[in-house]
């Protein structure tokens, strides 16, 4: 038995949404978690967790 698989999106429709405009990258993009290394993100998360623990104990005591 021969099964024919047909693409439900025609090539004309698939290419209709392609943007040909080049977007310039900002000179100063700002700070982002995505630019940090894995160790820096772990350190930041550990620092926030430690800060939350200290704040919790400060409220309890």
């Amino acid at each position: 038995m021969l099964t024919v698989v047909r693409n439900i999106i025609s090539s004309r429709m698939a290419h209709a949404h392609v943007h040909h405009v080049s977007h310039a990258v900002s000179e100063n993009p700002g700070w982002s978690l995505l630019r940090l290394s894995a160790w820096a993100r772990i350190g930041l998360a550990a620092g926030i967790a430690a800060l939350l623990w200290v704040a919790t104990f400060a409220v309890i005591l």
Side-chain angles (χ1 to χ4, degrees):
M1 176 178 240
L2 179 64
T3 304
V4 177
V5 178
R6 189 174 64 117
N7 189 356
I8 61 172
I9 300 175
S10 70
S11 64
R12 186 178 55 157
M13 287 175 60
H15 296 291
H17 297 288
V18 175
H19 299 284
H20 298 288
V21 178
S22 173
H23 297 287
V25 178
S26 171
E27 294 269 335
N28 186 10
W31 189 83
S32 173
L33 282 172
L34 297 175
R35 286 193 208 95
L36 294 177
S37 68
W39 287 112
R41 286 187 295 239
I42 290 171
L44 183 62
I48 292 171
L51 184 66
L52 288 172
W53 274 103
V54 169
T56 301
F57 284 122
V59 168
I60 292 171
L61 299 176

